[in-house]
């Protein structure tokens, strides 16, 4: 069985306000990734600082903290083969004006300050970010779905 990873994905406040939640979820679902956690919430200042701690001190940090709290987000945990990298491919580059056509950021965003979606960049940040937004008892992994079908009988 191929090794499956988990990643933290969020529809950022601009994505929620623009009605892009379904569109974004659809792109990960149809790929074959498995949705194992989802909730809508207002990010607290503490959550924002934990989430984006690596950017503290950068010029854009205060605006980033303000942006992620500018409305509710839809926080999700997705599971699947190579999902951390695969989700970032589906999302596209941080800068939407440089992102590949067909990616979420290229298709739905103009500037990096409002790039509609977040995705973890490593296993370490995935587990750290999941723990900021979810308790393990809010994660529902006990069901069969497309993710099992699309990698059945494939060797690593
Ligand atoms: P990522 O979201 O593609 O992983 P990061 O470099 O981790 O990109 O930056 C986190 C978020 O901070 C970006 O998604 C974007 O919203 C914002 N950001 C990154 N770089 C800049 C910048 O130079 N100016 C303003 N906002 C930025
Ligand atoms: Mg990042």
């Amino acid at each position: 069985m191929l090794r499956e990873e988990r990643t933290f994905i969020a529809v950022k406040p601009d994505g929620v306000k623009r009605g892009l939640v379904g569109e974004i979820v659809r792109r990960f679902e149809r790929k074959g990734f498995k949705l194992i956690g989802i909730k809508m919430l207002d990010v607290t200042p503490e959550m924002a600082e934990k989430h984006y701690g690596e950017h503290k001190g950068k010029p854009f940090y205060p605006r980033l903290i303000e942006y992620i709290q500018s409305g509710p987000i839809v926080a999700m945990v997705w599971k699947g083969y190579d999902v951390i990298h695969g989700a970032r491919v589906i999302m596209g580059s941080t800068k939407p004006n440089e992102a590949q056509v067909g990616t979420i950021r290229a298709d739905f965003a103009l500037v990096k300050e409002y790039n509609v979606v977040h995705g973890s960049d490593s296993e370490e940040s995935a587990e750290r970010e999941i723990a900021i937004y979810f308790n393990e008892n809010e994660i529902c992994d006990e069901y069969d779905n497309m993710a099992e079908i699309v990698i059945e009988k494939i060797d690593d």
Side-chain angles (χ1 to χ4, degrees), residues 5 7-9 24 27-28 30-31 33 81-96 98-108 115 117-122:
E5 300 172 339
T7 194
F8 176 70
I9 301 290
I24 290 169
R27 288 176 177 230
F28 296 111
R30 70 184 183 180
K31 173 78 172 176
F33 294 135
Y81 171 66
D82 203 20
V83 67
I84 298 170
H85 176 68
R88 285 179 68 92
V89 171
I90 290 171
M91 286 163 45
S93 303
T94 307
K95 297 178 180 174
E98 291 175 7
Q100 289 262 348
V101 172
T103 62
I104 294 168
R105 286 167 167 173
D107 290 357
F108 300 109
N115 58 7
V117 67
H118 168 82
S120 309
D121 65 6
S122 66

Side-chain angles (χ1 to χ4, degrees), residues 6-68:
R6 308 195 303 177
T7 194
F8 176 70
I9 301 290
V11 182
K12 292 177 171 179
D14 53 331
V16 173
K17 289 177 192 171
R18 290 174 55 197
L20 296 174
V21 174
E23 174 66 40
I24 290 169
V25 169
R26 184 179 75 98
R27 288 176 177 230
F28 296 111
E29 263 187 332
R30 70 184 183 180
K31 173 78 172 176
F33 294 135
K34 180 180 185 183
L35 182 62
I36 59 171
I38 184 164
K39 63 165 103 164
M40 182 179 242
L41 72 145
D42 289 306
V43 175
T44 64
E46 295 73 29
M47 288 167 135
E49 282 175 31
K50 271 194 197 169
H51 184 159
Y52 286 122
E54 64 172 313
H55 297 300
K56 200 163 187 169
K58 294 182 185 169
F60 63 85
Y61 179 76
R63 282 176 65 189
L64 175 57
I65 294 298
E66 192 183 324
Y67 164 42
I68 202 67

